[in-house]
Amino acid sequence: MKLSELEDFLLSNNEKKFRATQIIDWLYVKRVNSFSEMTNLSKELISKLNDNFYFDKLEIIKKQEDKDVSKFLFKLSDNNLIEAVLMNHDYGNSLCVSSQVGCNMGCKFCESGRLKKIRNLETSEMVEQILMIEKEIGKRISHVVVMGIGEPFDNFDNLVSFIEIINLQKGINLGSRHITVSTCGIVPKIYEFSKLPYQVNLAISLHSAFDDKRSKIMPINKVYPLKDVIDAVKKYFSVTGRRITFEYILLEGINNSIEDAKELCKLVKGLNCYINLIPYNEGSSMGFKRPKNDEIMKFYDIIKKEGINVTVRREFGSNISAACGQLRSKKEE
Ligand code: SAH
């Protein structure tokens, strides 16, 4: 529950509004595991809380580690499984959280979509990924990226509540500039997202600057083609003033030619953006290949020479299938 929702609950149950901040302090700062531990609340309030809410912990059922990265497999209370990935950077550590069980977007190169969406994650299940991993590692997480399993803009309301809860200063207090949401390009939600009062970063999975090619690898492009995405990005920038990130996966022989790079430059020229190149991480049997390093650098150089900000995403965790596009939901182990 967001602070305002908790306050409404309290008021309609004849309790004082300020109790909400006390409860939030117990949950997210002191991190207790039951209402009875909330010693500054009355017995009546504790029993009202027990009657209306419960602590639904996720269960970490597997942890795999590789250099600078750990992957956590969570079991949800309905036995669905999701994954989250923790990465150590020199600037802190960042957690890649999932937003859905499965995914309906059907991007051809992504393992996460091999299981169609079973359901959205609840806000609490997204928040719990952070709390449980912080408990497990005994450290604070400094950055959160919503880039795990699922399309966050296909679970928009819970995503927004999640952002509000983890951003709350009196709670988990994750700075909004330390939070990034990535979408495959659900255009109406980009407009909605730009109206939110948080300074959260937005990344868009572009992957081709040609409509026909993009439609082949990302079916969402048939609904929201490039022109609509770029119009939404322009609006996003005019409303928020924030730079946008374009993610561009590099698939050998598909979208990594010189023409592809030039068209990409043409498409983003003049936008306040930066391009994050993601060399394809090989999945089980998707039939795509990762370009060789010199090919990757050739693509990078063309963009760089145009004066566009560009980086190649550092690869994490491909040995434990924890890299971009390798996370998978499962029904059961
Ligand atoms: N659904 C959101 C969140 C996923 S973010 C989105 O589409 O943006 C994960 C990023 O990794 C996306 O840019 C996605 O396109 C990319 N990705 C998916 N599969 C990949 C793979 N096999 N190798 C590299 N990147 C991949």
Side-chain angles (χ1 to χ4, degrees):
M1 257 190 188
K2 296 186 283 190
L3 177 63
S4 56
E5 293 167 334
L6 188 53
E7 286 173 346
D8 289 346
F9 168 84
L10 291 163
L11 289 173
S12 60
N13 280 276
N14 301 320
E15 294 285 346
K16 295 271 187 306
K17 195 169 143 184
F18 77 90
R19 297 286 176 204
T21 351
Q22 292 181 320
I23 295 170
I24 280 179
D25 186 63
W26 284 113
L27 289 175
Y28 299 127
V29 181
K30 301 199 179 78
R31 308 222 174 160
V32 297
N33 292 305
S34 69
F35 295 113
S36 54
E37 291 167 71
M38 301 184 176
T39 48
N40 55 0
L41 306 183
S42 68
K43 289 240 156 52
E44 291 89 311
L45 176 52
I46 290 175
S47 98
K48 284 177 202 168
L49 292 173
N50 272 319
D51 288 346
N52 287 279
F53 304 101
Y54 56 96
F55 283 77
D56 183 19
K57 294 281 173 197
L58 311 185
E59 198 187 327
I60 297 178
I61 57 171
K62 196 165 162 190
K63 179 177 175 187
Q64 286 167 279
E65 292 184 89
D66 193 9
K67 189 179 174 297
D68 287 336
V69 55
S70 320
K71 183 168 79 166
F72 298 84
L73 181 67
F74 286 104
K75 184 151 105 182
L76 311 178
S77 50
D78 62 359
N79 288 334
N80 279 307
L81 302 174
I82 52 154
E83 295 181 316
V85 177
L86 180 72
M87 291 156 281
N88 297 320
H89 297 279
D90 35 10
Y91 56 79
N93 49 22
S94 94
L95 184 68
C96 177
V97 301
S98 290
S99 56
Q100 298 180 318
V101 181
C103 180
N104 274 348
M105 298 301 122
C107 298
K108 296 287 184 278
F109 43 80
C110 182
E111 291 286 331
S112 301
R114 282 159 61 109
L115 180 68
K116 288 282 158 250
K117 177 170 107 176
I118 293 180
R119 67 172 176 87
N120 285 328
L121 290 189
E122 298 293 337
T123 303
S124 60
E125 291 169 325
M126 297 178 70
V127 175
E128 270 293 318
Q129 293 173 54
I130 300 176
L131 297 182
M132 300 240 14
I133 290 175
E134 287 193 339
K135 191 167 177 197
E136 173 77 20
I137 63 173
K139 275 193 273 190
R140 290 297 309 267
I141 285 161
S142 62
H143 292 68
V144 165
V145 296
V146 188
M147 298 191 182
I149 300 156
E151 167 49 47
F153 280 4
D154 185 36
N155 185 13
F156 196 78
D157 294 345
N158 291 347
L159 170 78
V160 173
S161 299
F162 167 72
I163 291 171
E164 184 168 328
I165 288 170
I166 65 174
N167 183 230
L168 189 75
Q169 235 175 1
K170 290 176 179 139
I172 298 175
N173 193 18
L174 245 154
S176 50
R177 288 191 175 82
H178 288 196
I179 304 170
T180 302
V181 175
S182 176
T183 178
C184 63
I186 301 185
V187 165
K189 300 294 175 195
I190 300 177
Y191 287 102
E192 265 189 67
F193 193 74
S194 61
K195 292 188 204 133
L196 297 178
Y198 320 105
Q199 307 277 307
V200 173
N201 305 306
L202 180 61
I204 296 184
S205 298
L206 205 54
H207 306 337
S208 176
F210 293 108
D211 266 316
D212 51 347
K213 212 178 267 192
R214 190 167 189 261
S215 294
K216 275 192 195 133
I217 53 177
M218 299 178 72
I220 191 73
N221 194 65
K222 293 179 199 151
V223 187
Y224 304 116
L226 284 164
K227 182 183 179 309
D228 296 3
V229 174
I230 298 298
D231 284 348
V233 165
K234 286 182 182 156
K235 181 75 183 175
Y236 173 88
F237 182 72
S238 75
V239 174
T240 65
R242 286 198 303 276
R243 182 167 81 164
I244 212 153
T245 301
F246 288 117
E247 293 156 289
Y248 193 102
I249 187 173
L250 289 167
L251 304 162
E252 172 61 31
I254 308 268
N255 66 353
N256 69 329
S257 69
I258 293 173
E259 289 69 44
D260 286 304
K262 287 188 174 155
E263 192 69 16
L264 176 60
C265 295
K266 226 163 82 188
L267 185 72
V268 306
K269 196 84 200 176
L271 296 176
N272 185 1
C273 69
Y274 112 89
I275 296 180
N276 198 194
L277 299 175
I278 322 176
Y280 172 63
N281 296 306
E282 302 201 352
S284 32
S285 57
M286 317 291 279
F288 294 104
K289 273 214 187 75
R290 175 198 190 93
K292 298 213 169 51
N293 283 345
D294 57 336
E295 295 280 321
I296 295 172
M297 288 326 288
K298 224 194 276 169
F299 198 92
Y300 169 91
D301 285 339
I302 295 173
I303 300 169
K304 189 86 191 163
K305 278 208 188 92
E306 287 293 320
I308 297 164
N309 301 306
V310 56
T311 51
V312 179
R313 182 174 288 179
R314 185 178 154 201
E315 189 190 331
F316 275 100
S318 53
N319 291 336
I320 53 170
S321 290
C324 301
Q326 293 184 322
L327 303 184
R328 293 180 70 175
S329 293
K330 298 168 202 120
K331 280 190 189 123
E332 53 197 51
E333 264 292 71

